[in-house]
């Protein structure tokens, strides 16, 4: 929501003093790069040069000669359709808000989050670094082909010495020139790019004119080596001028061996070469930090560049097919020089495209690196890249990238890296398409780009086509890139990233959860698929951490809500005191590692607040069906924040600057004897209210004494054996006989079984106790219960106990379950009954597998102990005046039993059907 600190206020037309704010995020903090590049210089020129690269001069004959005109046009169309799909996604994202520096990385990270965005951004950066090195090495080889001392052919000055060291020297000198241009800023880069654009355009113009102006001629080709080291007879290529027979001969494919590698060409290999040369559509987007209006320049400039290069490629394909025979096309990929009116101008074009591609890659890499460094995703490793000049030029990132390119140049031959570079580019393109697809699928109201020529179909097709092209170009590089992306994402996830970017994953989750919640029809609920959905009312979490974790174990994948009631009346308060508390409670959930929602309310009393939470917590078919309360007794509350390792130690990762510690967000525990927010009367009334609302009730006592290993998230491996005891009968009114099969008794069995499914409780043994009826022979009730347990697939040990009060209670008139204190039994007799039941339970807790006395003395072993006891919770009396007596009897019944859950179930939860 927008507030007084909302960034939306930065988009006011005028400030308080009438000073206008810059549009489209063009302003920024001091030291930010000056936005001064136009659409043409900042986007069109670098994108055109990147998409032409050296392919436009040296690979036209390769593509048309092997694939033929028809397949070449099909390849070009498919390649540009793939690129156009990504361009549509780029245009949509760029016109949906202010775009800052970083180009594709900024778009991806602010949509998919820092983990995915940071990993793909780093891969995109490395692709640009390696792409710069590849372009420089290609430029060196192109120069040495003409001026090298060992150059073949009759032409060339042959003045430059050759060899690995010399090639490294030439590449380093050219890299120094490229780095110098980029270090001096985007303005000089734009002017240098414009100059190379003019040179390339002039060279292409001369080639186009030469196709028309030059007459037919025979072009001698360099001899090719034979199979046994001998040279094949020299061949002659023919430039026929415009000739329909030449066109007809060049229509169909004629795949042959590539004379530079000796490999047999196929449709896939030729298509990969063509596509490699076209992957430059992000060159303009990488300059987003220097553009005057990136939201307008990036879409417009990229579309113009793509359309222009597509037209030039088609024109060159047609002209080559009309005028050159297949021998010339397949055996001399640089035939433009042979047919040119002035061959040196073609060389200028080749050198200019390679130089501009290296410049574009280096300055694009530096901008991506600077954005990564400013986001501080990789820590001090990228700290030097944050340095900027007074004018905002990130020269630190340029020098950082220059050093990496120099290291890559040391590898010498980089042909093997060419496919990796293209695959990394395609990963970034696929991520941009995925970002746009996610935004479209999320249906967020704030995703309303001014560019509307896209849909989720184009985004999905773009993702699929980029992935397909990755594996078509290089399956190994594609698999390795995806593995690298996964490793980098895991690293960034472990480090933790900023949480204020607004992740599209949250919008997608909201969209899907809403859709499936609507389909979760409560009218189709079935007892087979019942699961506990808990509402735990918490006063102060300092004293209830063990109960928080125990309830988390009992939920069995169901809804778990932490509820808290703040006392007060909104009419008498200046603002809602509840909203600021959510952050502390959510931090509590994270630190306690429980899967719970938080629901807070403001109410004049705790009882009314509990009613509110019982009614309104949850949504649709996910609403609490069980209320969990701590037991109301006089025990002094403990401060588990001081003893729990998760709260006594610093949280993982660096704490945000200025953020208060979690221990300071909740008040200290209530002092013994201090007044409580909830009276005993209201406590029992809250239990009664929940039962009236058809909610199950769980009262938890002494959970702080639970064994710590049973509350851990591990497997609960421990040398100490524990029991979980279940008493499925109302011990304050035992009836014997079939009393264990009522709804409440089965609910106790279900809850105990659910707890046993938790890994931490796997080793605990479940014991079920039955009270013998006055006229029932031993073994009869046990047999019926074992048969029932077999039907319910519950594994437990069944024990019968003699309940001395059973006969007396059976002789009395049947009483209402809720009025067990109303009958002929007086207060003293009721308390005696509760004491007797308590003694019975405690006696059974001391009976391990070694007999009534537990393990034999001196045997050196510790017998099993009861870790948790499940007791039947009677309904509160109908008369509210007897609430205090009811609570006193519950206290006597559960006194000194250790961790105990008193449970009353009102809904059927077990089923014997499939």
């Amino acid at each position: 929501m927008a507030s007084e600190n909302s960034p939306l206020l930065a988009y006011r037309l005028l400030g308080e003093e009438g000073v206008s704010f810059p549009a489209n995020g063009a302003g920024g903090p001091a030291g930010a790069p000056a936005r001064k590049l136009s659409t043409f210089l900042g986007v069109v020129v670098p994108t055109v040069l990147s998409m032409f690269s050296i392919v436009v001069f040296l690979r036209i004959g390769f593509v048309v000669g092997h694939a033929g005109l028809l397949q070449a046009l099909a390849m070009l169309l498919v390649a540009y359709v793939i690129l156009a799909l990504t361009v549509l996604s780029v245009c949509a994202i760029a016109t949906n808000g202010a775009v800052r520096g970083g180009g594709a990385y900024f778009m991806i990270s602010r949509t998919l989050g820092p983990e995915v965005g940071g990993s793909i951004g780093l891969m995109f950066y490395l692709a640009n670094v390696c792409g710069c090195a590849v372009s420089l090495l290609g430029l060196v080889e192109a120069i040495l082909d003409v001026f090298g001392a060992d150059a073949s052919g009759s032409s060339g000055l042959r003045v430059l010495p050759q060899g690995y060291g010399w090639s490294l020297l030439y590449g380093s000198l050219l890299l120094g020139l490229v780095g110098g241009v980029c270090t001096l800023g985007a303005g000089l880069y734009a002017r240098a790019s414009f100059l190379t654009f003019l040179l390339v355009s002039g060279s292409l113009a001369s080639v186009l004119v030469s196709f028309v102006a030059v007459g037919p001629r025979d072009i001698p080709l360099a001899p090719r080596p034979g199979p046994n080291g001998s040279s094949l007879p020299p061949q002659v290529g023919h430039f026929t001028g415009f000739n329909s027979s030449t066109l007809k001969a060049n229509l169909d494919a004629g795949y042959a061996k590539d004379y530079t590698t000796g490999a047999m060409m196929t449709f896939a290999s030729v298509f990969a070469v063509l596509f490699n040369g076209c992957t430059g559509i992000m060159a303009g987007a990488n300059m987003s930090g220097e553009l005057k209006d990136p939201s307008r320049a990036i879409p417009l400039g990229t579309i113009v560049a793509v359309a222009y290069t597509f037209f030039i490629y088609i024109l060159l394909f047609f002209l080559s097919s009309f005028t050159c025979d297949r021998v010339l096309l397949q055996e001399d990929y640089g035939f433009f020089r042979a047919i040119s009116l002035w061959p040196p101008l073609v060389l200028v074009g080749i050198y200019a495209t390679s130089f501009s591609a290296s410049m574009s890659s280096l300055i694009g890499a530096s901008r991506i690196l600077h954005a990564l460094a400013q986001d501080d995703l990789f820590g001090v490793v990228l700290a030097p890249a944050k340095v900027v000049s007074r004018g905002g030029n990130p020269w630190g990132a340029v020098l950082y990238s220059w050093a990496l390119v120099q290291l890559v140049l040391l590898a010498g031959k980089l042909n093997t890296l060419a496919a990796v570079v293209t695959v990394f580019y395609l990963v970034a393109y696929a991520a941009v398409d995925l970002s746009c697809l996610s935004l479209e699928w999320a249906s967020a109201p704030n995703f309303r780009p001014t560019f509307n020529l896209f849909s989720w179909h184009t985004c999905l097709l773009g993702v699929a086509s980029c992935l397909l092209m990755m594996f078509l170009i290089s399956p190994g590089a594609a698999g390795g890139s995806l593995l690298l992306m996964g490793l980098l994402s895991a690293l960034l996830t472990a480090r933790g990233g900023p949480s204020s970017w607004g992740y599209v994953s949250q919008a997608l989750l909201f969209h899907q959860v809403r859709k499936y919640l609507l389909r979760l029809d409560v009218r189709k609920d079935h007892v087979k698929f019942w699961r506990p959905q808990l509402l735990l009312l918490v006063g102060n979490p300092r004293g209830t951490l063990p109960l928080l974790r125990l309830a988390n174990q009992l939920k069995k994948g169901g809804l778990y809500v932490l509820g808290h009631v703040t006392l007060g009346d909104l009419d008498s308060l200046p603002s809602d005191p509840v909203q600021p508390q959510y952050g502390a409670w959510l931090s509590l959930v994270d630190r306690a590692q429980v899967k719970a929602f938080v629901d807070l309310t403001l109410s004049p009393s705790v009882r009314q607040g509990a009613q509110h939470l019982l009614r309104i917590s949850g949504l649709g078919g996910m609403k609490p069906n069980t209320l969990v309360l701590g037991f109301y007794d006089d025990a002094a509350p403990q401060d588990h924040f001081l003893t729990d390792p998760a709260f006594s130690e610093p949280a993982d990762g660096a704490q945000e600057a200025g953020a208060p510690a979690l221990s300071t967000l909740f008040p200290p525990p209530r002092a013994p004897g201090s007044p409580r927010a909830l009276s005993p009367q209201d406590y029992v009334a809250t239990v009664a209210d929940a039962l009236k609302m058809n909610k199950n009730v769980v009262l938890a006592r002494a959970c702080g004494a639970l064994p710590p290993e049973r509350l851990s998230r591990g497997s609960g491996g421990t040398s100490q054996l524990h029991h979980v005891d279940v008493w499925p009968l109302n011990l304050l009114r035992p009836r014997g006989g079939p009393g264990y099969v009522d709804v409440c008794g089965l609910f106790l069995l279900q809850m105990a079984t659910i707890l046993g499914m938790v890994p931490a409780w796997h080793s605990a043994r479940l014991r079920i106790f039955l009270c013998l009826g006055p006229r029932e022979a031993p073994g009869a009730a046990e047999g019926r219960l074992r048969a029932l347990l077999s039907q319910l697939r519950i594994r437990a040990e069944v024990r019968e106990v003699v309940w001395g009060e059973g006969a007396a209670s059976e002789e009395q008139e049947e009483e209402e379950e809720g009025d067990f204190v109303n009958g002929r039994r007086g207060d003293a007799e009721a308390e005696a009954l509760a004491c007797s039941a308590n003694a019975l339970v405690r006696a059974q807790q001391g009976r391990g597998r070694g007999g009534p006395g537990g393990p034999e003395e001196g045997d050196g072993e510790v017998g099993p102990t009861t870790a948790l006891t499940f007791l039947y919770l009677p309904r509160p009396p109908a008369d509210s005046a007897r609430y205090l007596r009811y609570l006193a009897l519950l206290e006597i019944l559960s006194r000194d039993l250790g961790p105990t859950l008193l449970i009353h179930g009102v809904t059927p939860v077990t089923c014997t059907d499939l």
Side-chain angles (χ1 to χ4, degrees):
M1 294 188 303
S3 66
E4 294 181 1
N5 296 321
S6 172
L8 295 176
L9 296 182
Y11 288 82
R12 294 175 296 180
L13 295 179
L14 294 177
E16 295 180 0
E17 302 298 330
V19 180
S20 60
F21 284 85
N24 293 321
R35 296 178 177 264
K36 55 186 177 182
L37 296 185
S38 63
T39 301
F40 181 74
L41 291 178
V43 181
V44 175
V45 169
T47 305
V48 166
L49 293 175
S50 295
M51 295 189 70
F52 276 157
S53 66
I54 205 167
V55 173
V56 73
F57 290 102
L58 297 181
R59 288 297 180 264
I60 295 296
F62 170 83
V63 175
V64 177
H66 288 287
L69 177 61
L70 297 181
Q71 289 193 19
L73 291 176
M75 291 178 184
L76 186 67
L77 183 62
V78 171
Y80 268 78
V81 166
I82 294 174
L83 296 175
L85 293 173
T86 302
V87 168
L88 295 180
S89 300
V90 170
C91 295
I93 297 176
T95 59
N96 188 54
V99 180
R100 298 200 293 271
Y105 160 71
F106 181 83
M107 299 178 188
I108 297 169
S109 62
R110 267 46 176 190
T111 303
L112 300 182
E115 294 83 6
V116 177
S119 60
I120 295 178
L122 184 60
M123 293 172 62
F124 194 38
Y125 167 73
L126 295 176
N128 278 275
V129 167
C130 294
C132 178
V134 170
S135 298
L136 289 172
L137 185 64
L139 177 56
V140 170
E141 291 180 354
I143 293 174
L144 293 179
D145 283 343
V146 179
F147 301 103
D150 301 330
S152 61
S154 58
S155 61
L157 298 179
R158 305 184 184 180
V159 296
L160 296 178
Q162 292 183 247
Y164 168 77
W166 289 106
S167 296
L168 178 60
L169 175 62
Y170 303 147
S172 300
L173 292 175
L174 291 171
L175 176 59
L177 178 59
V178 170
V181 171
C182 296
T183 303
L184 294 177
L188 181 60
Y189 161 76
R191 289 190 288 271
S193 295
F194 182 64
L195 177 60
T196 56
F197 177 76
L198 293 178
L199 294 175
V200 172
S201 299
S203 180
L204 283 175
S206 72
V207 170
L208 295 176
V209 172
S210 298
F211 275 113
V212 179
V214 174
R217 62 175 64 176
D218 295 337
I219 301 173
L221 304 175
R224 308 299 178 202
N228 297 322
S230 60
S231 297
L232 296 174
Q235 292 181 292
V236 177
H238 302 284
F239 178 77
T240 64
F242 286 93
N243 190 307
S244 59
S245 298
T246 304
L247 175 64
K248 185 176 180 180
N250 287 330
L251 285 178
D252 297 327
Y255 294 106
K257 288 186 177 181
D258 178 14
Y259 73 85
T260 61
T261 62
M264 187 66 186
M265 293 294 100
T266 63
F267 181 91
S269 59
V270 174
F271 183 46
V273 171
L274 174 64
F275 193 83
N276 280 342
C278 301
T279 54
I281 57 175
M282 291 293 184
N286 289 341
M287 302 301 298
S288 58
E290 280 82 13
L291 296 173
K292 292 179 181 178
D293 186 358
S295 295
R296 178 181 180 274
I298 291 176
L300 179 60
T302 306
I303 291 175
V304 169
V306 169
Y308 173 71
T309 55
F310 181 69
F311 172 75
I312 295 297
Y313 274 124
I314 285 184
L315 187 59
L316 290 174
F317 281 3
F318 270 107
L319 292 176
S320 300
S321 301
F322 261 109
T323 59
C324 303
D325 70 349
R326 194 174 293 271
V327 174
L328 178 61
L329 295 175
Q330 289 185 345
E331 298 297 329
D332 186 3
Y333 300 151
F335 72 94
F336 281 178
R337 288 175 57 198
I339 68 171
S340 176
L341 289 172
W342 190 42
L345 194 55
V346 177
L347 281 179
V348 171
I350 294 174
Y351 299 158
T353 53
S354 298
F355 186 77
S356 65
S358 60
M359 276 200 311
S360 176
S361 296
L362 183 60
I363 199 167
S366 66
R367 271 44 183 180
I368 297 169
L369 181 65
H370 181 62
L372 282 167
Q374 285 198 320
D375 288 338
D376 202 23
L377 297 182
F378 293 94
V380 296
V381 177
L382 301 184
K386 295 181 181 181
V387 180
V388 296
S389 66
R390 183 174 300 177
N393 180 43
W395 61 269
V398 175
L399 293 180
Y400 199 110
S401 303
W402 171 86
L404 285 182
V405 175
Q406 186 64 61
L407 288 176
V408 178
L409 282 177
L410 292 174
K413 298 295 183 180
L414 295 177
N415 293 334
T416 55
L417 284 180
V420 177
V421 170
T422 303
V423 166
F424 278 14
Y425 280 137
L426 286 172
V427 170
Y429 297 168
V432 171
D433 288 320
L434 181 61
S435 300
C436 190
L437 176 66
S438 302
L439 290 169
E440 180 70 8
W441 273 352
S443 301
N446 281 323
F447 182 62
R448 42 180 186 270
T450 57
F451 182 87
N452 296 317
L453 299 179
F454 77 100
S455 69
W456 68 267
H457 304 85
T458 63
C459 301
L460 184 59
L461 188 58
V463 174
S465 59
C466 287
L467 294 176
L468 178 63
M469 279 304 306
M470 286 168 51
F471 286 94
L472 181 64
I473 292 174
S474 175
S481 65
L482 296 179
L483 178 61
L484 176 61
M485 184 183 70
L487 294 176
L488 290 174
S489 298
L491 172 65
L492 292 174
T493 301
R495 275 184 50 84
S499 59
S500 59
W501 289 358
Y503 305 156
V504 74
S505 58
Q506 296 298 307
L508 284 171
L509 287 173
F510 178 89
H511 183 72
Q512 294 300 312
V513 167
R514 180 195 62 84
K515 180 173 71 175
Y516 286 113
L517 273 177
L518 290 173
R519 297 175 61 181
L520 188 60
D521 193 345
V522 294
R523 296 169 295 183
K524 298 179 181 178
D525 281 348
H526 194 278
V527 66
K528 288 190 300 186
F529 307 113
W530 180 91
R531 66 182 71 228
Q533 305 197 79
L534 308 180
L535 170 62
L536 171 60
L537 287 184
V538 180
N540 189 339
R542 285 178 175 271
T544 57
L545 277 180
L547 179 55
L548 255 68
R549 294 195 170 102
L550 180 62
N552 185 64
Q553 295 174 330
L554 286 170
K555 70 179 186 305
K556 187 53 180 174
L559 179 68
Y560 180 22
V561 180
L562 294 182
H564 174 73
V565 180
T566 299
L567 298 180
D569 187 356
L570 194 59
D571 290 339
S572 60
L573 297 172
S575 62
D576 184 8
V578 170
Q579 295 300 324
Q581 299 178 23
Y582 272 97
W585 284 88
L586 293 175
S587 298
L588 170 73
V589 169
D590 294 338
R591 190 74 70 87
Q593 295 183 320
V594 296
K595 298 178 180 179
F597 298 94
V598 173
D599 212 344
L600 312 178
T601 188
L602 181 69
S603 178
S605 70
V606 175
R607 180 186 177 187
Q608 291 183 20
Q611 293 176 0
H612 298 164
L613 293 174
L614 283 170
R615 292 185 186 279
I616 66 176
S617 290
L619 193 63
M622 294 188 66
K623 296 184 73 68
N625 56 30
T626 304
L627 174 66
V628 183
L629 296 170
F631 194 78
Y632 199 100
D633 56 18
D634 295 328
Q638 301 177 6
D639 190 351
H640 294 282
F641 278 17
L642 301 178
T643 57
D644 194 289
F647 291 82
S648 59
E649 299 175 359
D652 293 337
Q655 185 174 330
E656 295 183 9
L662 186 61
S663 59
T664 65
L665 299 178
F666 296 100
R670 175 183 55 84
S674 60
R676 301 187 180 189
L678 181 65
S679 66
Q681 190 83 8
D682 281 350
Y683 177 82
V684 179
T686 301
V687 175
D689 293 341
L691 295 176
K692 291 176 183 177
M693 296 180 187
N694 203 38
K695 308 291 185 183
N696 311 297
V697 175
V698 177
L699 305 183
R701 184 172 190 181
C703 288
L706 281 167
E709 64 271 17
R710 298 299 178 185
L711 296 177
S712 66
R713 302 184 66 190
S715 60
T718 175
S719 59
Q720 176 66 42
L721 297 178
H722 291 126
H723 288 150
V724 174
D725 294 348
V726 182
W727 295 79
L729 298 178
N730 185 356
L731 293 178
L732 295 180
R733 202 183 96 208
R735 290 172 295 178
Y740 59 87
V741 296
D742 69 356
V743 171
C744 184
L746 292 177
F747 187 87
L748 262 73
L749 292 177
Q750 183 79 332
M751 296 298 287
T753 304
I754 288 173
L755 185 64
M757 296 178 180
V758 179
W761 291 86
H762 277 171
S763 61
R765 297 192 179 109
L766 181 62
R767 299 193 302 178
I768 302 175
F769 293 91
L770 285 179
C771 298
L772 289 179
R775 302 182 182 89
E776 188 172 9
E782 180 181 350
R784 291 196 300 271
L785 180 57
R786 289 190 183 277
L788 177 63
L789 294 178
S790 177
Q791 288 182 309
L792 297 177
R793 290 88 59 204
I794 297 176
R795 299 179 60 183
E797 175 186 351
V798 179
R799 290 195 175 189
E800 290 182 334
V801 295
V802 178
W803 184 220
E805 296 291 330
S809 62
E810 192 70 18
E811 293 174 356
Q812 296 174 355
E813 294 183 4
E814 189 69 21
E815 302 167 359
E816 293 292 334
E817 185 183 0
D819 289 336
F820 70 96
V821 293
N822 283 341
R824 298 172 183 175
R825 191 181 291 126
D827 289 351
E829 187 178 356
E831 290 182 8
L833 178 63
C835 290
S836 177
N838 174 264
L840 175 67
V841 175
R842 283 193 290 112
Q844 294 301 320
Q845 286 180 344
R847 293 173 181 263
R849 300 182 65 87
E856 296 181 4
E857 295 182 6
D859 59 4
E861 296 181 2
V862 179
T865 60
T866 299
L868 185 63
T869 302
F870 286 77
L871 294 182
Y872 189 115
L873 174 67
R875 278 184 173 271
D879 186 0
S880 60
R882 294 179 171 83
Y883 279 176
L884 297 181
R885 184 182 181 191
Y886 167 81
L887 185 58
L889 291 176
L890 294 183
E891 195 280 330
I892 295 173
L893 175 64
S894 58
R895 182 183 299 166
D896 297 329
L897 295 184
T900 305
L901 297 181
L902 294 97
I903 299 178
H904 191 95
V906 295
T907 56
V909 295
T910 57
C911 180
T912 59
D913 298 331
L914 288 177

